Amino acid sequence: MAQQKKNELVTEQRNKKSLHLDQLSIEEIVTLMNEEDQTVALSIQGAIPQISAAIAAISGALIAGGRLFYIGAGTSGRLGILDASECPPTFGVEEDLVNGLIAGGEKAIRESIENAEDDEHAGLLAISEVVRSGDVVVGITASGTARYVIGAIREANRLGLTTVGISCNQDTQLSTLVTYPIEVPVGPEIITGSTRLKAGTAQKMVLNMISSTTMIRMGKVYGNLMVNVQATNHKLRERTVRIIQEATGTDEERARQTVIDAKGDARVAILMEMFSVSQQKALDVLLQVRNHFGDAVKLLQQSQ
């Protein structure tokens, strides 16, 4: 497929509903934005089969010992970094399990470096320097054409890695290159070409699905409880106590004491309370099942 030209991309076209945007009142502008944002979830609904297939591959790779790399430019890159950075505190995983790379490097997280997205070789190098066999690379670009991302995906393919592409147009160049294409065509933005709006919202929602579902499959969630949450501040310490109460039915005082006995590990505390086992026994069982909490519960249930 020939590379799409900018004027052919739906995300670069003018939105007929906002042709006179600068003449609208504040309430009219935000109402229009809200109406357009409501279409994003429906656009994602159409891509659920693509998203599900990608998540199956990603979760399988991570369970087998691989890592996940998001790579993008501008807003897309920042969203990947955001999603990656939230996985350790939310799910208690290693800092290097989910990673975000952005065109222009760390400076580009806070400052706009627009020409960085055109450097295909930089994308290639960014991937070649960090990946290993078994990893998965997810390219994120609203247009589906960012050269930095294209270079990264081509290198990941050359290295034999599983690749995923997230774009907000149809039949994109990125989709032709990846193992698992995800296309969420959100239509023209109310500010022409400002893909930090609907396209950015769509990308954030898809990334939420990818990371959250993958972590659920890896046993980092029990029921709908964040049993792997890292209690690094007061709010999270209080949440840990509530999680133990919800999971075990115990009272607050006992939950707080069990957290202390478990040295702050909610998973261990829940297993100790549910099965009347020691901290060391709970840790040993988790180790046996590669820290999959649901499997740890099943194993202890079978042993009783």
Side-chain angles (χ1 to χ4, degrees):
M1 183 191 73
Q3 182 181 347
Q4 288 176 298
K5 296 177 180 178
K6 282 286 186 182
N7 59 8
E8 295 175 341
L9 298 173
V10 175
T11 49
E12 296 294 324
Q13 293 175 3
R14 296 186 73 185
N15 188 323
K16 293 180 180 179
K17 296 179 183 178
S18 62
L19 291 177
H20 305 292
L21 186 63
D22 62 330
Q23 298 172 31
L24 301 181
S25 69
I26 291 173
E27 185 169 347
E28 287 170 333
I29 292 170
V30 296
T31 297
L32 177 58
M33 291 185 72
N34 179 250
E35 290 172 352
E36 288 292 285
D37 285 343
Q38 289 177 47
T39 69
V40 174
L42 291 176
S43 298
I44 291 173
Q45 184 176 27
I48 284 177
Q50 296 176 329
I51 297 168
S52 299
I55 291 172
I58 292 168
S59 59
L62 269 59
I63 290 169
R67 300 168 300 166
L68 176 60
F69 287 86
Y70 296 131
I71 188 162
T75 297
S76 299
R78 295 183 191 102
L79 288 170
I81 289 170
L82 173 63
D83 195 76
S85 68
E86 291 176 342
C87 286
T90 305
F91 301 108
V93 296
E94 299 83 358
E95 294 285 342
D96 67 343
L97 183 67
V98 184
N99 309 272
L101 302 171
I102 185 170
E106 188 173 342
K107 183 179 180 181
I109 298 173
R110 298 173 183 82
E111 299 178 24
S112 176
I113 307 178
E114 295 297 335
N115 62 338
E117 76 170 62
D118 298 328
D119 193 337
E120 184 169 331
H121 186 66
L124 179 157
L125 290 177
I127 286 299
S128 65
E129 291 173 354
V130 295
V131 298
R132 64 186 182 222
S133 178
D135 290 343
V136 181
V137 177
V138 178
I140 314 167
T141 160
S143 66
T145 62
R147 305 311 306 165
Y148 177 81
V149 177
I150 297 299
I153 293 298
R154 282 179 168 153
E155 177 64 5
N157 287 338
R158 188 188 70 79
L159 295 170
L161 304 182
T162 297
T163 53
V164 178
I166 303 173
S167 50
C168 294
N169 286 284
Q170 292 179 303
D171 302 320
T172 67
Q173 182 183 18
L174 178 64
S175 293
T176 67
L177 296 174
V178 296
T179 321
Y180 296 94
I182 298 171
E183 293 185 340
V184 184
V186 296
E189 303 284 3
I190 70 160
I191 300 175
T192 306
S194 182
T195 51
R196 71 186 187 89
L197 300 176
K198 287 190 299 182
T201 299
Q203 290 170 344
K204 179 66 169 71
M205 292 173 74
V206 172
L207 292 172
N208 283 346
M209 291 177 172
I210 289 174
S211 58
S212 297
T213 308
T214 295
M215 295 301 154
I216 293 166
R217 298 287 291 175
M218 294 180 71
K220 308 303 181 185
V221 174
Y222 182 59
N224 62 357
L225 300 174
M226 291 190 295
V227 292
N228 269 46
V229 65
Q230 298 299 291
T232 53
N233 59 34
H234 176 73
K235 179 188 74 173
L236 295 178
R237 284 190 291 272
E238 292 301 304
R239 181 180 295 168
T240 298
V241 171
R242 291 195 299 273
I243 287 171
I244 293 167
Q245 289 183 265
E246 290 286 345
T248 66
T250 193
D251 60 43
E252 181 180 345
E253 183 180 356
R254 186 173 177 86
R256 290 188 184 280
Q257 183 58 51
T258 308
V259 170
I260 295 171
D261 295 341
K263 298 183 179 178
D265 192 322
R267 305 167 307 156
V268 172
I270 293 168
L271 294 178
M272 290 171 65
E273 183 65 23
M274 287 178 72
F275 299 101
S276 299
V277 297
S278 67
Q279 181 215 16
Q280 189 58 53
K281 175 65 174 179
L283 286 170
D284 290 344
V285 171
L286 284 165
L287 185 61
Q288 287 181 55
V289 295
R290 299 182 64 181
N291 291 310
H292 190 295
F293 188 81
D295 288 348
V297 170
K298 291 176 184 177
L299 188 59
L300 282 167
Q301 286 173 335
Q302 292 168 2
S303 67
Q304 291 190 338

